[in-house]
Each structure stands twice: as structure tokens, then as C-alpha cells.
Amino acid sequence: MSAEKQARVFFALWPTPALAERLGSIARAEAARLGGRATRPETIHITLAFIGDVPESRLPELVAVGQSTAGGGSDIDLDHLEHWAHNRIRWAGCRKALPVLGELVGTLRQNLLAAGFSVDRGHGPFIPHVTLVRKTRLAAPASLLAPSLHWPVREFVLVRSALGQAGSTYRTLASFPLATCSGST
């Protein structure tokens, strides 16, 4: 009897193609400056909940979790660059707290746990960030990203990841709309 095929999955925010290209340009510039591997524009995202490998037969359950997770849309302004020395990552983030996004992540993770999925909780509170460069050779101090990049968040997605020689490739399995709020930030 063969083991069931696995799918490596996560929930994420996905930028528009134009925003992904702008972030990809910044990633390439930072990689040229700091060394390392720039994130390809088609793979740029903000991870909300990393699940990892699950049997393919459980993918409909993950879609149901996404459908049952209510949350509000939010506007993200990516306004600074940071560096995590422990894993040699250069990333873009926002200095302003985003409670609506934190609530969405908390609800999503609770729903995943209730459905019997294990969730990578990270190393502390949720920090919305876009990984720009992996395996940097040089560390860089925090700096402002000017002009900031505006990202209107109106949905989140369930993504399947496949590792290849050129890095990971991602395929969106399902998308889930978020409630829009006037003046949401």
C-alpha cells in the first residue's frame, strides 16, 4: 500500500502583479547590494499561516477553513526594510500596527487548529512581511522604503508550494474575500 501524496500548503496574502513587480525590483537591488537570492516576483507574498505537508485528501478541509474564516480587509503600506540575522533574510514591512490583519491571522490559526491542522506559530506575534532576499551575505540596518508601497488587501489565498531546482513554485488553490471597511488601515 503506497502512502498518500502530500501537498505543501500555506495561507497568504497575494499582491497584484504590478506590486509584485515593484517588490521584485527592490528584491533584485537588495540582492545585488547584500548578496543572496532575490525573491522572484511571481512568488512574493505575505504568509498568514504555514501548514506544511498535508495529505491531498485533506485539501477540501483547508478550503472549508478558509471559507469559514471571516475577516476584514486592510490597507498595508510597506514602508521600511529590515534584516533578520538569524536566518539571513532581508524583508519589507510596515511600521504601523495592523490590528485587522492580526485578528484575521488569529482567527485563521484558531480555525486550522480546530480542524486538526498543525500551524507554524513562528517566534512571536505575527509580523506582516515580504521576504525580499534569502541567504544574504551582508547584514543591513533597517531603512525607510520611500516611497512606501500601498497594498490594498481584499482577499487571502490557499497556496500549494512545490520545490524545484529554480526554487519554489506556487499555485493558488482557492481565494477567500475579506469584508471591506471604509477607511481600513
Side-chain angles (χ1 to χ4, degrees), residues 2 4 13 15 20 42-43 57 70 72 86 113 118 120 127 131 135 144-145 157 175:
S2 63
E4 183 175 356
L13 302 178
E42 67 272 15
T43 64
S57 62
H86 71 282
L113 291 170
S118 61
D120 180 7
I127 299 172
T131 298
K135 299 181 180 178
L144 292 179
L145 183 58
V157 295
S175 61

Side-chain angles (χ1 to χ4, degrees), residues 38-95:
T39 302
R40 298 183 325 275
E42 67 272 15
T43 64
I44 287 176
H45 65 279
I46 294 176
T47 302
L48 300 176
F50 181 78
I51 294 97
D53 291 330
V54 298
E56 284 187 342
S57 62
R58 295 202 69 194
L59 292 176
E61 293 174 64
L62 286 169
V63 171
V65 167
Q67 291 169 334
S68 70
T69 301
S74 183
D75 293 341
I76 299 172
D77 286 310
L78 299 172
D79 59 8
H80 74 283
L81 300 174
E82 296 270 350
H83 184 262
W84 282 326
H86 71 282
N87 56 6
R88 298 175 20 217
I89 286 180
R90 183 70 163 169
W91 55 277
C94 52
R95 291 175 293 158

Side-chain angles (χ1 to χ4, degrees), residues 84-118:
W84 282 326
H86 71 282
N87 56 6
R88 298 175 20 217
I89 286 180
R90 183 70 163 169
W91 55 277
C94 52
R95 291 175 293 158
K96 183 178 179 183
L98 299 170
V100 171
L101 198 51
E103 291 169 13
L104 171 66
V105 170
T107 301
L108 178 60
R109 290 178 179 177
Q110 286 175 353
N111 291 349
L112 286 164
L113 291 170
F117 292 96
S118 61

Side-chain angles (χ1 to χ4, degrees), residues 69-74 100 104 153-156 176-182 184:
T69 301
S74 183
V100 171
L104 171 66
V153 175
R154 301 299 177 255
E155 69 176 7
F156 67 102
F176 312 98
L178 295 168
T180 56
C181 306
S182 61
S184 65

Side-chain angles (χ1 to χ4, degrees), residues 120-184:
D120 180 7
R121 294 184 179 273
H123 303 287
F126 174 71
I127 299 172
H129 69 280
V130 175
T131 298
L132 298 174
V133 184
R134 294 182 187 283
K135 299 181 180 178
T136 59
R137 288 192 296 276
L138 303 172
S143 62
L144 292 179
L145 183 58
S148 64
L149 301 177
H150 186 72
W151 182 340
V153 175
R154 301 299 177 255
E155 69 176 7
F156 67 102
V157 295
L158 174 62
V159 178
R160 183 172 185 167
S161 170
L163 295 176
Q165 294 217 339
S168 295
T169 57
Y170 300 138
R171 181 169 53 104
T172 299
L173 301 177
S175 61
F176 312 98
L178 295 168
T180 56
C181 306
S182 61
S184 65

